[in-house]
Amino acid sequence: MISKAQLKSAFELVMHNSLHKFQVKNSHYAKVTQLANNSSHSEQAGAIAVFRSKATMQRAQGVVVTSMEALTRMAPTLTHWTPNVFRWLGYDTSRRFVRGHREQNLKQINSFVLDVDFKDMAERDAQQEKVLSAAVIEGQFIPTMVVKTAKGFHLYYVLTDPIFVRQTNNRFPALKMAGVIANNLKRAIQAELPSVDVGCNNFGIFRIPRVENTLYFDANLVVATSALVAWSQDYSKRHPQQANRRVVKLPVRHEAQLKQPWAQALLQKTEIIPGQGMARHNAILTLALAGFQSQNDQEQTYNLLDEFNSRLQVPVSDGEVRQAVRDAYSGRYRGAAKVYIEGLLKRWAPEALATLNQAHGWTKFAKARSERKYSHVTEWAQDVLNYLNAQMANHCQVTVSTRQIQQALGISPSSLNRALKYLVAQHALKAVTASGQPTRYQTLLGLFKHALAHKQQLQNQWRNYLPVGYFSVAEGLISEPDSGILDLLGSAWEVNDTG
């Protein structure tokens, strides 16, 4: 839980001065104050969409917001928002539905949000610690904010500098780069957390942070944009298409996707259910895109999906099927993407994976690590990081000798030295040595978990101190004594010298 003051800071941090400060109409502030502040932001002001329930969000029945004043005033009544800002948003002729929220209309990307989804609230709560551990992407990037949803979590990685979306020669290079970053973040966390929704719209609608649903927020823990771009480029090199695979494209065969075995396999499945990552909505949209790529008309694709939906054990509404078809035929896509097809097949039709590779002509694979004589430094670095994190448990540091690490991992002294230097350079590890003493190590994940445990301990102390029934009243105040997770991290670094 966070305080109202922290929540306001969260909104301001995510928006990156991309909205007017005050409402253009019906502001609660003096006119002179409005003009003085809004005029300096008039050129860069954009718009976001907000929603008062999941049902209205699914129907695109939202409200267009262009000022921080309106956002903070409406926030207690909202459930969803678009944390990334559009150049403009408007309403249809009935003024009931929001229009303009498409990727090419984005003005700037302020955050990358990952959606982790479980089958129910009980599983969400049981998996919370695992989610927080996996949220530290490859030991390098800590989420700025974690928001609880009905059956999962939204992990917000807020950028230090927005990625501005501009059109160049009818192309959107920054948007394409941001899409690659978003997909790489999903792939990286999916290795530890299969329930992450890789099919979630990268820059779409997410749960809005509120006092009661924000697990934690620290304004200091923003992600350096330049570091994230560099990491994504390196990750793409290390994981082309899929982990440990080098892909060679054969001449493209423009076979209709709906006729391919993977599509036929999915169409026969009736047990595809909501949630749990690649699930029902992703399956329907992917098949709709396959219909578009196969040059079916919209009515044909709708009829096919209507029959498919009616066979599902838990079908979606007719309106959602029609919306998926409209999205598929909107002109923004060329067909179903391989990454989503594979995700669906792995979960619901693993027997069809081999036919997918044959259909697309993927023929050459890099050797698995076990088949190679040498490992890459990044592979050893991840092994070392995993080992140290496992040794730390809930502590913020671990004391271990290099000989112990070598024996545990079967790594040579030279390879270990290179891996440790790489981790230190990536700010994923801190090592302190003293003459005649084993080295003490601290990792970002260890510090992050220590900070969260410290914060929970503080809240529990307040719970025990305050009278029964008083805690809910003081909910917005209990975080005030806590000076922030970054302060905890900073103080934790210092314990090296004192043990």
Side-chain angles (χ1 to χ4, degrees), residues 7-44:
L7 183 62
K8 184 179 179 182
S9 296
F11 289 140
E12 291 173 346
L13 184 71
V14 173
M15 287 296 103
H16 276 300
N17 294 319
S18 55
L19 302 180
H20 287 303
K21 189 169 184 179
F22 301 107
Q23 294 177 226
V24 177
K25 296 180 180 179
N26 305 317
S27 175
H28 293 181
Y29 293 84
K31 198 71 175 178
V32 174
T33 305
Q34 298 173 42
L35 293 173
N37 284 276
N38 282 349
S39 61
S40 62
H41 293 83
S42 59
E43 291 186 2
Q44 61 182 13

Side-chain angles (χ1 to χ4, degrees), residues 291-310:
F292 170 73
Q293 185 272 348
S294 303
Q295 299 184 0
N296 285 7
D297 60 40
Q298 284 188 240
E299 192 62 28
Q300 283 179 297
T301 299
Y302 166 74
N303 289 335
L304 178 69
L305 291 180
D306 183 47
E307 293 178 11
F308 168 72
N309 184 50
S310 65

Side-chain angles (χ1 to χ4, degrees), residues 297-471:
D297 60 40
Q298 284 188 240
E299 192 62 28
Q300 283 179 297
T301 299
Y302 166 74
N303 289 335
L304 178 69
L305 291 180
D306 183 47
E307 293 178 11
F308 168 72
N309 184 50
S310 65
R311 292 194 299 270
L312 292 178
Q313 295 174 5
V314 186
V316 302
S317 67
D318 179 68
E320 290 176 271
V321 176
R322 292 184 182 277
Q323 184 61 53
V325 175
R326 283 196 296 270
D327 289 342
Y329 284 75
S330 64
R332 302 197 302 269
Y333 310 98
R334 287 188 249 176
K338 186 169 184 286
V339 63
Y340 299 120
I341 298 171
E342 276 191 326
L344 288 166
L345 294 184
K346 283 179 181 177
R347 185 158 194 87
W348 306 110
E351 71 279 1
L353 275 169
T355 62
L356 173 66
N357 290 327
Q358 292 169 6
H360 283 263
W362 310 98
T363 59
K364 192 172 182 179
F365 299 85
K367 287 184 178 180
R369 185 182 180 187
S370 59
E371 299 174 5
R372 285 187 268 121
K373 183 177 180 181
Y374 301 105
S375 293
H376 302 303
V377 65
T378 53
E379 293 171 330
W380 280 127
Q382 196 61 51
D383 289 344
V384 171
L385 203 57
N386 292 341
Y387 172 77
L388 294 176
N389 283 329
Q391 302 306 306
M392 285 182 191
N394 290 324
H395 300 289
C396 63
Q397 65 176 348
V398 63
T399 301
V400 62
S401 67
T402 54
R403 183 180 295 277
Q404 286 176 284
I405 300 176
Q406 290 169 30
Q407 292 175 345
L409 300 180
I411 183 175
S412 69
S414 59
S415 294
L416 176 58
N417 186 48
R418 285 196 299 271
L420 291 172
K421 286 183 176 179
Y422 174 83
L423 290 170
V424 170
Q426 296 294 318
H427 306 290
L429 178 72
K430 183 171 183 179
V432 176
T433 57
S435 179
Q437 298 293 324
T439 303
R440 288 194 291 269
Y441 297 99
Q442 291 180 334
T443 68
L444 275 181
L445 176 58
L447 292 170
F448 179 56
K449 292 173 68 175
H450 176 74
L452 287 171
H454 184 100
K455 187 170 185 176
Q456 186 60 53
Q457 181 183 19
L458 181 65
Q459 292 186 2
N460 289 337
Q461 289 172 356
W462 276 83
R463 287 181 188 273
N464 294 331
Y465 174 77
L466 295 172
V468 175
Y470 182 81
F471 187 82

